[in-house]
Amino acid sequence: MGGGEGGEAEVAFNKTRAEGKDGRKGRSMELKSRKLNPVNTICYVQVLGTGMDTQDTSPSILLFFDKQRFIFNAGEGLQRFCTEHKIKLSKIDHVFLTRVCSETAGGLPGLVLTLAGMGEEGMSVNIWGPSDLDFLASAMRSFIPNRAMLHTHSFGVEQNVPSQSKDATVIIDDEVVRISAMFVKPRCSNEASCLTDTNVKPGDTAIIYACELPELKGKFDPAKAAALGLKPGPKYRELQLGNSVRSDAFDKMVHPSDVLGPSIPGPIVLLVDCPTEYHMHELFSLQSLGCFYEDSSRQTGTSKKVNCVIHLGPSSITKALDYQNWMRRFGSAQHIMAGHEIKNMEIPILKGSARISSRLHFVCPHLFPSSGFWPVELANDVDSEKNKTSLLQACETVSAANLLKFHLRPYAQLGLDRASIPSLSSYGDIVDELLKEIPDIEEVPEQISKFWQNRESNSGKLQDGTPLRESDWRKHPKDNPDIPCCVENATREDMEITFLGTGSSQPSKYRNVTSIYINLFARGGILLDCGEGTLGQLKRRFGVSGADEVVKSLKCIWISHIHADHHTGLARILALRSNLLKGIAHKPLLVIGPRPLERFLNAYSTLEDLDMQFLDCRHTLKPSIEAFLSDNVTESTTSQLENTIFAPGSRMEYYSRKPASPKDTTALANLKEILHESGLEVLYSVPVLHCPQSFGVVLRAKEKVSSAGKAILGWKVVYSGDTRPCPALIDASRDATVLIHEATFEDSMKDEAIARNHSTTKEAIAVGTSAGAYRIILTHFSQRYPKIPVFDEVDMQKTCIAFDLMSVNLADLPVLPKVLPHLKLLFKDEMVVDESDEVQEAVMY
């Protein structure tokens, strides 16, 4: 463990981890080896409804066999979904991608890291995709520490592989299943506006997968065998295996067809991803699909009967007249429409999380405005949903529901199975359940509401949060002289902090991984960290269209360090923003982060347009930023660091990793403009103790002027990122309005906190207390504490615990600590981990 010199002697930390040298060496992370079971008693495909309610990511499809599991697509939220519905990730053998982009593969990095953390040697999984997969693998290796974690297999080696090949690419062909792939590239029939190869990104290629099970041999007829002179014995078995034998009584050969009933063709499932109208023409003319059309038998005699077609494209595509006509070519196949549909938005996919949100909303809607159930909003394709044509009725079509199954084996059960679909519940149902479970809770909402009523009557504000005139303040004496002026005079449109994820390491049933949205209202917003599922959480908090507006109005995204639980939602946000603003004049979004993050983003941008500008955190240290804002940009990197724990000659100099390139003055100029537009005086990064290039951040708003002309200092928000308590962060947090500090471990686990360079609850509070912060909000809790962490109420006078989707308005800070004791009543029996839930730390988080 790290020691210290001089004034830093009290800082205990793991020096090896801070240097980035603590990877688990020698872990093999071998692929699972399973003995196949050709005579499968159970086989089905199942819709895993990730993104169904929030429309932020592609649903996944599970192909289940007795001894093998295949998943198609691994969008953001897949891990959390599997935890919720008790689908064991350790049983997954193969992951297939229908496209290589953030919508279909956003959950892949977290999945790989979580599997690598399982068991003594770690686990891995085969990942399959077109040659574009190589770009994703290259990008992921910028933050995945061990190459053994990534077992990627790309097919269609040439990027310009002709999609009109008559033969599909066979990927897996064993005694259990044959899986083949067909390529669909975007084209358009209108030559004037046709897409060209030069503006088609690799991630635009879509894959159609065909999953074919072997045929079932006909039933053996002993009577026919006896009539042909066969005695019971080994020859019966040979015939059942498809081999001819000589009759025992007659001089003739007996063939399997003589004694077996007709064989039953193996069931076939197609997975079709047609993401845009530009893919439709190519899909409809795909020659390798010809053998699956019902009418192809008249031409070739080789038609294969398709039992089920799962459509992953959005309803705006799949309900188009041409698409529906194409669907009819599969005859009586069952069509499952698994793409985004408006009606699915009503039903939360993560019911455990929705239940917690509903309970918190009932108790304190001021801090928890999202009820867990949100009103359905109309989207662009709603009209096409209403105007279903008679052509659609000609197909066996159902809308997918979460966990809907289509059975393939045993043959007697072939068809749809709705038994696993979760039962519907409403906000009212959850509140009724809560009142029965904890009758005392009924009075709590009114008790909490009185805090706000008292605050409004004593704060010099009107009911809507507007400050009273200074002449009226004498009529409303302040009840607490310690309230900062920026809070006392705040309106509800100044600033609000929304916690999109408050867990650490990996997504869990109740807490997503780290992300914080600083809402500046009319002046836009800023994201601090962007873990997997950030977009989905924005959708749950602000609604589907509201979240799109949030993304479009983002001013910048700041990332604390390279660990995956803090940034793997970034590509999805950037890709969506680029798409939403297409055709609208705008600037690239500024992303501030550690240098390794730039390598990931640059590599990933080969797949999708991210439309971003990168700025190294080391260029945003306080001396550098203040010098730039004052137009003095002549300081050297060394002088920027000399007043920090990374000063030349200090024990931490080894991992300052001085910038390899000169300061990006263009990006800094953009930051200066962003600060002005956002009403901020400064944003700067603070080096902290966690891993190489780890940072906290300080945001300070500009001064305001009262109606009497008196200057009022702007608010100051400090976010720690992941860190041990450290002097640099304490100094940066002096007189902060809000300090958001990680509190990964409870107080009894200090040794673990030191080993992993995290903080305990008491340590985090001590940082804020030492710095004189007005309010401390704790976050980044270990998944050992699934609903509420362990804490000592004695330490919580000015401290609050963050929950997912909690929104803390600047004007509400005075009442914040008063709410926590009431929230504890919700979780009185849940202060420790549920032993039935596995707690698994992902590698390198």
Side-chain angles (χ1 to χ4, degrees), residues 356-368 427 431 434 441-449 452 819 822-826:
I356 293 291
S357 293
S358 295
R359 289 176 162 223
L360 289 166
H361 175 75
F362 171 76
V363 170
C364 186
H366 296 87
L367 296 179
F368 302 96
Y427 172 70
V431 171
L434 173 62
I441 207 79
E442 188 169 6
E443 308 300 323
V444 171
E446 185 178 351
Q447 294 167 4
I448 291 179
S449 183
W452 268 264
V819 176
H822 296 273
L823 297 183
K824 273 188 68 176
L825 186 60
L826 278 175

Side-chain angles (χ1 to χ4, degrees), residues 534-676:
T534 291
L535 178 58
Q537 293 291 84
L538 282 171
K539 303 265 186 182
R540 293 181 179 95
R541 171 60 184 86
F542 296 102
V544 170
S545 60
D548 287 349
E549 293 303 313
V550 167
V551 171
K552 286 195 290 186
S553 65
L554 282 173
K555 293 299 183 183
C556 81
I557 300 177
W558 181 92
I559 303 296
S560 62
H561 62 291
I562 196 60
H563 285 171
D565 57 331
H566 290 257
H567 72 81
T568 49
L570 182 56
R572 186 77 191 100
I573 292 282
L574 292 173
L576 175 64
R577 178 183 178 274
S578 176
N579 188 54
L580 291 172
L581 294 176
K582 197 166 288 183
I584 301 173
H586 66 281
K587 289 184 177 180
L589 185 62
L590 183 65
V591 175
I592 305 172
R595 179 63 64 187
L597 180 65
E598 183 181 26
R599 293 196 287 272
F600 166 70
L601 293 173
N602 286 342
Y604 187 90
S605 62
T606 310
L607 292 168
E608 291 184 274
D609 287 321
L610 299 184
D611 196 18
M612 64 92 196
Q613 182 181 42
F614 189 82
L615 180 59
D616 191 330
C617 276
R618 291 169 298 182
H619 295 163
T620 64
L621 301 180
K622 186 178 181 181
S624 176
I625 287 295
E626 289 182 343
F628 188 84
L629 294 178
S630 64
D631 298 320
N632 174 16
V633 291
T634 61
E635 288 190 70
S636 68
T637 301
T638 300
S639 64
Q640 293 171 36
L641 297 171
E642 64 187 7
N643 293 319
T644 76
I645 56 177
F646 304 94
S650 76
R651 72 179 194 284
M652 293 299 290
E653 183 185 16
Y654 59 82
Y655 95 84
S656 65
R657 309 283 175 91
K658 296 176 183 178
S661 59
K663 286 189 295 186
D664 188 341
T665 53
T666 303
L668 283 168
N670 190 14
L671 174 60
K672 187 174 183 178
E673 187 175 331
I674 287 168
L675 294 176
H676 176 72

Side-chain angles (χ1 to χ4, degrees), residues 187-196 277-278 281:
R187 295 276 189 274
C188 86
S189 53
N190 180 358
E191 292 296 331
S193 61
C194 191
L195 296 172
T196 65
E277 60 182 308
Y278 300 113
H281 177 73

Side-chain angles (χ1 to χ4, degrees), residues 688-760:
V688 296
L689 290 167
H690 182 58
C691 68
Q693 299 192 58
S694 295
F695 299 90
V697 68
V698 176
L699 303 173
R700 190 168 66 238
K702 291 179 179 177
E703 285 187 349
K704 293 170 63 175
V705 179
S706 72
S707 57
K710 181 181 177 182
I712 300 171
L713 285 174
W715 50 263
K716 178 179 177 181
V717 171
V718 180
Y719 167 51
S720 70
D722 285 8
T723 184
R724 289 291 298 142
C726 65
L729 188 67
I730 294 174
D731 290 342
S733 305
R734 299 286 178 205
D735 300 319
T737 316
V738 181
L739 169 62
I740 304 168
H741 201 291
E742 71 116 295
T744 308
F745 295 105
E746 63 181 282
D747 298 334
S748 65
M749 300 185 69
K750 186 174 179 179
D751 289 345
E752 181 83 354
I754 293 172
R756 294 178 177 269
N757 281 345
H758 285 297
S759 300
T760 66

